[in-house]
Amino acid sequence: IAFNLAEFGRVSGQLRTGALDAGAFAPLIFGESREQANPPVMWGRAPFGPAAGVTLPGDLWIEADALNLSDGIRLRQPKFVLRFDQGLIFLEHVAGQWMDGALTGQATLRRSAQGVSLTARVSVDGMTVDGPGLATASGRLRGRATASLDVSATGESPLALVSALSGTGRIALERAEVEGLAQGALDEVMAQHLDLPTLTREGLTASLRQKLSGTLALPVAEFPMSVAAGVWRAGPIRIATPREEITGALAVDLRDMTMQGRTSVVARMQPPGWSGPPAMAEITLRGPVAAPVREIDISSLANGLTAIAIQRETERIEALEQDQRERSFHNRRLRAAEEQRKAEEEERRRREAAARTAEEQRRRDEQAQRLDLQQRIEEIIRTAPNPASTGGVPPPVRAPLPITPPLIR
């Protein structure tokens, strides 16, 4: 370390050390915190305290084994140039290992009457991602990430500074896998729940959870990210598969470290009879970053399947009613034919009975005629004169009487 007296004792040099705590530099800009919150809060609301005075300006090349930025954020093998002056800190040519990726960037912290101003640019290359579904609000997201982000903010307190953060960047993922977003789950659920008796929202939700339990592979995915009003947002990301289209986004509120992610899964092919917008399910992930809660909204899917089920049930009922009408018509024709047959049979029997009655009457008439003829013959014979009483002279021969029955004539 050297002091340049010609430049009012400007400090310059190199510093190699074991572990550094970024909090050691904080009083130079942020001052000492005077807020005693109970319970402790993540970001204090009290204004920044007076900044610790920097006696000498300068710049140092610093190398360390580790740099602790905050709880859980540790930069390994950091290297950077620290430039400092009254109310001003520059971090330039920052390089180090964050997790298993390479981090580079620079930052400027400036103290003024308005509070603290921050300007930073950070890039990460080749970092392994293993956390909540970044683009899908589903399960865990795994892959290799390359990201860059430019941010700036001005605030008079820690909470105000975080709430004022704004900036833009991009994220690229390679060989990524998303748990809980299996391909084709929506199609399988629709095919399984087209029948009305099995169609319930609880059954749909449970079935979709089960079908989504697989993994979706993303060879390459790139999407924007931004920070506005202290809320970090990633996406939207759009993924097209042969069976569905997936759109998702994730937002993390840096003020209280809560998150909200949303994924829409839209089926490319609709089942027969589907009407209205395409079949869709929405998956949300909300709550604390450490323990978010996953929910599935199947309102659109349930409404569409219910409409199909109702239409199918209506068609089934109409078919049954049509079949009943046809059966009733056929039965009426059968009854009419049976009644006609019975009427004809009755008419035949009536005619046969009448014929038998006429025949019996004819026979009785013939018998009566024969009896009458026989009686007349007997009467003639009885009244005829005896030849002995006429002196043996036979009576004159007369022509026979016509005794043929009328029916024979």
Side-chain angles (χ1 to χ4, degrees), residues 189-199 204 271-272 274 304-306 308-310 312:
V189 170
M190 286 191 293
Q192 183 179 350
H193 290 79
L194 281 177
D195 295 329
L196 185 60
T198 63
L199 184 59
L204 275 176
W274 187 276
L305 290 179
T306 300
I308 292 179
I310 292 175
R312 289 189 173 186

Side-chain angles (χ1 to χ4, degrees), residues 5 16 25 30-31 74 78 92 100 187 237 252 264 269 273 293 352 396:
L5 299 178
R16 292 183 175 87
F25 304 101
F30 302 114
R74 182 182 177 90
E92 297 179 347
D100 62 344
D187 288 347
I237 179 174
V252 177
S264 298
M269 301 296 293
V293 177
E352 290 178 353

Side-chain angles (χ1 to χ4, degrees), residues 40-45 158-165 228-233 251-260 286-292:
V41 295
M42 183 173 297
W43 308 108
R45 296 177 178 272
L159 180 59
L161 185 65
V162 172
S163 301
L165 282 172
V231 179
W232 176 83
R233 293 179 173 84
V252 177
D253 193 334
L254 302 176
R255 295 166 295 185
D256 57 6
M257 295 307 292
T258 58
M259 66 184 301
Q260 180 171 349
R286 56 167 58 90
V289 173

Side-chain angles (χ1 to χ4, degrees), residues 8 39 72 119 152 167 215 226 253 295 326 367 372 376 382:
F8 305 100
T119 303
S152 62
T215 301
S226 63
D253 193 334
E295 297 176 351
E326 292 178 356
Q367 186 176 5
D372 181 65
R376 290 174 63 185
R382 189 173 53 251

